[in-house]
Amino acid sequence: RKEVEQDPGPFNVPEGATVAFNCTYSNSASQSFFWYRQDCRKEPKLLMSVYSSGNEDGRFTAQLNRASQYISLLIRDSKLSDSATYLCVVNPSYSGGYQKVTFGIGTKLQVIP
Amino acid sequence: NAGVMQNPRHLVRRRGQEARLRCSPMKGHSHVYWYRQLPEEGLKFMVYLQKENIIDESGMPKERFSAEFPKEGPSILRIQQVVRGDSAAYFCASSPRLRDRNEKLFFGSGTQLSVL
């Protein structure tokens, strides 16, 4: 089983739609979780951290379910500019103080006019 | 405050040549990570360095690949005798001295290596 698993998609959704991605992780001792966004093979950029209590940033909501070992990202009112690949990122453990994170393969989102 | 700087953006090498990829972390950052992204694959951790020290190279291929982060100057990822399978995007990331496991990584724009 992969450390971090994502559905690669693509998810094709119309503008204004709500779309959700899930990501599962295998290491129950994982400490921290993030969603990154990557455009067209450019560098990944942090979208948001994911906290146990769930967190929201504008149209984006991230949730963590430790019992089932998955995190989710919900995007409301999709914009054309949301088209990108969304990377699930997990820090497997507190690795002596550094970020040896594991990236999922990414889920590709295409928002259609 | 300049971001993470990588150069070159694109590097073309013939099989058997050497490739040198450079990364200057953000000002004030002392941790550097190298990741490789093969076509249609996720980013894979290669190596983590602090100034003058390799802390974790568990993701580095055993042969032909090496990395350094000298006291002065950028971090260098060196690939000797490149083969076609080395063609990929190589991303460098940096982070400040860690106090919080949620501290984020800042990525450079990457070097696209193409081996002919």
Side-chain angles (χ1 to χ4, degrees), chain A residues 31-34 36 38 41-46 49 51 87 91 94 97-105, chain B residues 33 35 37-43 45 48 55-56 58 91 98-105 107-109:
Chain A
Q31 297 287 333
S32 49
F33 310 88
F34 311 88
Y36 276 71
Q38 187 176 29
R41 313 298 289 183
K42 294 184 178 179
E43 73 272 24
K45 294 183 179 177
L46 179 68
S49 301
Y51 303 115
L87 306 174
N91 196 354
Y94 191 52
Y98 64 95
Q99 294 280 27
K100 188 177 177 181
V101 296
T102 300
F103 284 80
I105 193 172
Chain B
Y33 306 77
Y35 285 82
Q37 188 171 34
L38 294 167
E40 307 305 322
E41 292 191 17
L43 280 83
F45 169 81
Y48 162 62
I55 307 301
D56 184 340
S58 58
F91 290 100
L98 286 176
R99 294 187 183 85
D100 179 356
R101 68 189 65 159
N102 287 313
E103 190 65 70
K104 67 178 182 181
L105 295 173
F107 281 86
S109 54

Side-chain angles (χ1 to χ4, degrees), chain A residues 47-103:
Chain A
L47 182 65
M48 56 200 306
S49 301
V50 187
Y51 303 115
S52 296
S53 55
N55 46 304
E56 187 174 312
D57 183 3
R59 297 181 294 109
F60 298 83
T61 301
Q63 301 238 317
L64 166 64
N65 185 320
R66 285 193 183 272
S68 301
Q69 293 181 211
Y70 76 85
I71 67 173
S72 64
L73 177 67
L74 181 78
I75 306 175
R76 291 181 298 277
D77 188 22
S78 300
K79 311 289 185 191
L80 295 175
S81 57
D82 294 335
S83 298
T85 297
Y86 290 83
L87 306 174
C88 172
V89 181
V90 176
N91 196 354
S93 62
Y94 191 52
S95 311
Y98 64 95
Q99 294 280 27
K100 188 177 177 181
V101 296
T102 300
F103 284 80

